[in-house]
Amino acid sequence: MDATLTATIRAWRDADPDPETAAELDHLLASGDEAALLDRFRSELEFGTAGLRGLLGAGPNRMNRAVVRRATAGLARHLLETVPDAAPRGVVVARDARRGSDAFALEAAGVLAGHGLKVWFFDDRAATPLGAFALKELGAAAAVVVTASHNPPEYNGYKVYWENGAQIVPPVDAGIAAGIAKAGPARALPFLPREEAEAKGLLVPLGEELVRRYHDAIAALVLHPGEGRDLRIAYTAMHGVGARFTLAALARAGFANVRAVGAQNEPDGAFPTVRFPNPEEPGALDLALSLCEETKADLLLANDPDSDRLAAGARDSAGRMRLFSGNEIGVLLGAYCLSERTPRPARPLVVTTIVSSSQLGTIARNLGAACAETLTGFKWIENRALELERTEGATTVFGYEEALGYSVGDVVRDKDGISAALVFADLAGWCRARGVTPWDYLEELQRAHGLFLSAQRSVTIPGPAGASAIAAIMDGFRASPPSAIGGLAVVAMRDYRAGVPGLPKSNVVAYLLEGGSRVTLRPSGTEPKIKYYFELRETPQGAEPLAAAKGRGETRLAGLVADFVRLASERGQPA
């Protein structure tokens, strides 16, 4: 093994505050496992607008206590340099129930306190939206939430919010990354253990009072209190932290007939009943669907492990439990908040993304509201909403991205699966009081505002060659754009990397098709995947039943997807 690499590994091990990961490196050095060592040391986890996310383990290319210390030192340096009164305003620190989250949160708190910054520390594990809420509620300078959201159990992450309450965007991410680059070895960084920080007044525990304030705030989002509260609801926390918060919110709103999936109700970072704890993944909601049949539930609600996302299902008019897509939930919640909120804001605003359905934008415009589109991710949604509130006097009513992320109002400047679950239950109760189901309400919206059908495909290409393969696919579509997809002519191509007015540059390509349909492709920002998003607009013919138009549209959408997959294969996508 290269002597320089060996010296680098030994220096990292000597500075590692965690004896377990230090021992992991000793074992790899002793075994001569050069491939494993190169994987841990060929690069560092990149700090970007999503913060950090990676596999647990030793070395700079893994999530561990040493990496968290250095990341927090970079955050502390940038805060003290750029945010007035950052030290007394402090930083909120929260964490979920993943492996390592408790230790990482204490590491972050210790480094922040070591730099003289007050730490508002959640004593118990908390949902990610609670961290974002506390930042806004306490007027803190920033927040750190230790979470890897819905990733598999081998992952953890580190999410940063700025003083405006939203996730960081450029140039803040670059400023923090520059601070990390200047940080020394982990053991050499300023650090105060919790007891010492608390004794000096630099660590303030957060408990039930803050949680109560959150519940008070989201309770005000309910639009039809008392209606349809006899609904039977099945809920799953997906082994995460959501049960404590979501079940309390539903009970407070009067939903008494709620049953939780017992095997998934307690926080467990091993995720023993589901390999990939993402409600979007096939099979992830099997236990919840079984509970629906056992209890004859009218409504299914599911949070991901850190409770910032919501999946939902409901029985249709034939009595079948059916899951909504992320776009369908977004359209339902957005339309409900726009049409039923009273008093109506003077300048209502909804914000969505370039890969989410354009149906909500159509509904918003038809209802006299503004709709803004951003790049993918709630960091963009909320920062754009804040900008429009400041410059145009808008009132943000709703924001969403199709990957099950929703924000109702401005209680939390991030996606919030807890408040979204509460408002979706309220919507379902309102529908029940009107003698319809949420599926019927969706059909009402489609009849009034148009029929938009969507689909998504993700292709995982892991390993060192994966990034190159994904880049080649993107470059192939740029170099050789199709003239038609699925029999629909391409009327325009948008290359967001080259620049689209009003949006930051990003590695995204969209093809706008005749008739209002579109296809969008982009690499995932957190996983070794390339994602394809499809939307097809179908027009019912005369008095044609909507079901017939939908069936025809779904056939056309399947053809659109199949043709695009063929085009992707021609441009290098593995079979």
Side-chain angles (χ1 to χ4, degrees):
M1 189 183 304
D2 179 76
T4 302
L5 175 62
T6 301
T8 299
I9 294 168
R10 293 189 186 281
W12 180 277
R13 179 206 58 193
D14 292 343
D16 193 337
D18 187 346
E20 289 189 13
T21 47
E24 179 184 334
L25 293 178
D26 281 334
H27 172 74
L28 292 172
L29 284 167
S31 66
D33 193 340
E34 187 169 356
L37 288 167
L38 282 171
D39 188 36
R40 287 159 174 78
F41 282 87
R42 69 157 56 92
S43 62
E44 298 185 8
L45 285 183
E46 182 178 356
F47 190 94
T49 54
L52 296 168
R53 190 172 297 184
L55 291 165
L56 292 159
N61 196 31
R62 293 288 189 273
M63 278 297 298
N64 51 64
R65 286 168 56 188
V67 164
V68 169
R69 279 200 187 189
R70 296 186 74 250
T72 309
L75 169 62
R77 178 192 291 264
H78 192 63
L79 273 170
L80 292 169
E81 290 175 350
T82 62
V83 178
D85 302 321
R89 289 169 63 191
V91 179
V92 172
V93 176
R95 82 281 192 192
D96 65 10
R98 283 181 173 269
R99 292 167 49 208
S101 288
D102 290 346
F104 296 164
L106 286 171
E107 293 291 339
V111 173
L112 291 165
H115 283 78
L117 289 148
K118 179 183 287 186
V119 178
W120 304 95
F121 190 81
F122 274 88
D123 257 342
D124 201 356
R125 295 160 173 174
T128 292
L130 265 291
F133 173 79
L135 164 60
K136 181 182 173 187
E137 184 77 0
L138 299 170
V144 170
V145 180
V146 178
T147 178
S149 189
H150 56 279
N151 279 73
E154 298 85 5
Y155 285 77
N156 211 327
Y158 181 101
K159 196 172 186 179
V160 180
Y161 298 80
W162 211 235
E163 60 176 335
N164 64 357
Q167 294 179 54
I168 56 171
V169 293
V172 173
D173 57 338
I176 296 172
I180 296 170
K182 295 174 183 175
R187 279 190 182 275
L189 298 171
F191 184 88
L192 288 181
R194 173 172 180 165
E195 297 77 12
E196 187 177 346
E198 203 163 352
K200 291 184 174 182
L202 288 172
L203 190 146
V204 180
L206 297 176
E208 288 306 309
E209 170 61 19
L210 192 284
V211 174
R212 183 191 63 75
R213 287 154 70 178
Y214 170 75
H215 279 296
D216 287 346
I218 66 171
L221 300 173
V222 170
L223 300 177
H224 287 279
E227 294 188 12
R229 270 25 183 191
D230 58 338
L231 276 173
R232 294 184 297 271
I233 301 174
Y235 170 77
T236 178
M238 201 74 68
H239 296 296
V241 295
R244 171 188 168 201
F245 307 104
T246 302
L247 295 179
L250 292 170
R252 176 171 173 165
F255 294 100
N257 299 322
V258 183
R259 286 278 302 277
V261 176
Q264 297 178 334
N265 207 46
E266 293 301 315
D268 187 340
F271 304 109
T273 69
V274 55
R275 176 69 187 88
F276 202 139
N278 179 354
E280 294 180 292
E281 290 292 320
L285 294 177
D286 283 355
L287 290 180
L289 289 166
S290 294
L291 180 63
C292 287
E293 298 315 307
E294 176 189 332
T295 62
K296 308 301 181 188
D298 305 296
L299 185 66
L300 167 62
L301 300 172
N303 289 135
D304 69 337
D306 70 328
S307 304
D308 64 353
R309 298 174 192 243
L310 171 72
R315 293 201 184 273
D316 61 18
S317 55
R320 298 169 297 175
M321 175 60 69
R322 294 163 54 200
L323 295 175
F324 295 101
S325 70
N327 279 320
E328 288 169 336
I329 296 171
V331 166
L332 283 166
L333 283 172
Y336 183 61
C337 293
L338 282 171
S339 61
E340 296 300 311
R341 176 170 169 170
T342 54
R344 178 185 169 91
R347 304 193 71 176
L349 169 70
V350 296
V351 187
T352 183
T353 74
I354 59 174
V355 300
S356 301
S357 174
S358 56
Q359 182 163 23
L360 183 58
T362 299
I363 292 172
R365 287 184 287 273
N366 290 346
L367 295 177
C371 179
E373 282 191 345
T374 73
L375 299 179
T376 306
F378 253 84
K379 56 185 174 286
W380 302 114
I381 289 174
E382 292 298 337
N383 277 282
R384 179 61 172 157
L386 286 160
E387 178 187 358
L388 293 173
E389 289 171 15
R390 183 178 65 254
T391 60
E392 299 185 7
T395 298
T396 303
V397 174
F398 182 69
Y400 101 93
E401 60 179 355
E402 52 75 41
L404 303 180
Y406 314 98
S407 62
V408 180
D410 63 356
V411 172
V412 174
R413 286 298 188 176
D414 194 14
K415 56 186 177 289
D416 180 356
I418 302 164
S419 62
L422 173 63
V423 176
F424 200 89
D426 181 53
L427 177 156
W430 171 70
C431 287
R432 189 178 187 87
R434 295 168 61 224
V436 300
T437 72
W439 287 105
D440 296 326
Y441 180 40
L442 181 62
E443 183 169 326
E444 291 175 19
L445 295 171
Q446 291 168 337
R447 285 189 180 279
H449 304 285
L451 178 57
F452 297 72
L453 301 170
S454 60
Q456 184 194 139
R457 295 291 182 271
S458 296
V459 179
T460 301
I461 312 177
S468 297
I470 290 170
I473 296 169
M474 295 295 297
D475 290 343
F477 273 104
R478 287 186 170 98
S480 179
S483 59
I485 307 173
L488 296 173
V490 175
V491 297
M493 172 182 164
R494 288 180 183 165
D495 185 349
Y496 291 84
R497 190 174 69 182
V500 171
L503 293 177
K505 292 182 179 181
S506 183
N507 189 15
V508 181
V509 172
Y511 297 107
L512 308 186
L513 311 179
E514 62 178 315
S517 301
R518 68 181 179 184
V519 177
T520 308
L521 57 154
R522 71 174 185 93
S524 169
T526 57
E527 301 167 276
K529 289 182 177 180
I530 185 167
K531 295 186 174 184
Y532 308 133
Y533 305 85
F534 306 89
E535 180 165 63
L536 185 135
R537 185 165 187 175
E538 183 61 60
T539 303
Q541 305 299 315
E544 177 186 27
L546 191 67
K550 185 176 289 186
R552 181 175 66 253
E554 287 174 346
T555 299
R556 293 178 61 211
L557 179 63
L560 182 69
V561 172
D563 192 38
F564 187 82
V565 169
R566 176 187 63 79
L567 293 168
S569 299
E570 292 175 357
R571 288 158 178 80
Q573 179 182 296

